[in-house]
Amino acid sequence: MNFKQFIIIITAFFLSANFMSCSKDELLPDLEGNLVGYIYTFDEFRNLLNDHSGVLITAFGVNKEYKVISDEEGRFEFVNLPAGTYEIHFEKSGFGTLKQFGIKHLGGEPTVLGMPFGHDSNGLAFFLIEVPTTGIDDLRIENDSVYCEFSFIKPEPDFLLVRLYFSSTDNFELQSAQFVIDLFIRKNGTIYTAKMKYNDFPFKVGEKVFFRGRTSPYYGSGITLFNGRVIVGIEYYFDYESNSMVYPSLGNKSAQYFFIVKE
């Protein structure tokens, strides 16, 4: 092999390598694809609203965030979203913020969160509930009975869900409560009442116990659409920073009250 032949072979090698590199870039681009889901909205008493538009959905990637708005049916779609793992937030003024972590989007074919496009089978969707406007004016506990008085902005419902926080410490913060229960408080004339069971109650007879309340939507039930399809809601999440379950739509905490534990 003479020098001229050697130069021709080396040149051909580099041209071939360059062509293969260009072809690889063209044939294997960064994958993108659509990501689709549904968000349903409810009022503070968990009544399904007719219009689910206006929810801001943000997908947080490694170096960038992407935003879309839900339509009246609650459908949202990220178009040509790069493949990756995302943290997704659902936000609307007057509603709690729902978060989801570790959403994997492979690109190429659409990623559908929870339910197929056709709305023809049972599935999952995201639920966003209005933050309660109902205030707790008074709370009393006498033996096994709880008495509540509320101030309503909206028409009074037949019952409410109230989350009660208990502590043996005066002026306690909710996160330090020693015992937490949810009670369905039913309307009884001009006040709302409930019976409280003392199972696993950590306080002793004769002890002074302080407590606060918050109105709460009822979490954990699905909805049935007009075609009989059942949709189960994703409506709360686990927060790894606080190491606790987060229920996004709880009302403001009430004033602190107390009672003496009796037999």
Side-chain angles (χ1 to χ4, degrees), residues 97-132:
T97 297
L98 178 65
K99 300 179 182 180
Q100 294 293 297
F101 304 94
I103 300 295
K104 296 186 182 299
H105 172 56
L106 301 179
E109 292 294 322
T111 299
V112 182
L113 300 177
M115 63 170 66
F117 289 110
H119 269 222
D120 56 358
S121 61
N122 296 339
L124 294 172
F126 300 98
F127 286 5
L128 199 63
I129 306 174
E130 188 179 30
V131 174

Side-chain angles (χ1 to χ4, degrees), residues 230-246:
V230 176
I231 304 298
V232 177
I234 301 169
E235 51 194 313
Y236 48 85
Y237 61 94
F238 187 83
D239 183 80
Y240 293 93
E241 292 185 359
S242 63
N243 197 36
S244 62
M245 195 68 72
V246 175

Side-chain angles (χ1 to χ4, degrees), residues 11 14 28 33 45 60 74 96 99 109 111 120 122-123 125 138 156 161 167 191-193 208 211 235 242:
T11 302
F14 279 107
L28 297 176
F45 304 129
F60 295 90
K99 300 179 182 180
E109 292 294 322
T111 299
D120 56 358
N122 296 339
D138 188 36
E156 297 182 12
L161 186 66
S167 176
I191 63 173
Y192 287 75
T193 64
K208 187 176 186 179
F211 65 100
E235 51 194 313
S242 63

Side-chain angles (χ1 to χ4, degrees), residues 72-89:
E72 186 176 346
E73 300 298 321
R75 187 179 185 276
F76 62 90
E77 182 171 9
F78 292 91
V79 177
N80 295 329
L81 184 70
T85 301
Y86 290 89
E87 177 180 328
I88 298 181
H89 293 190

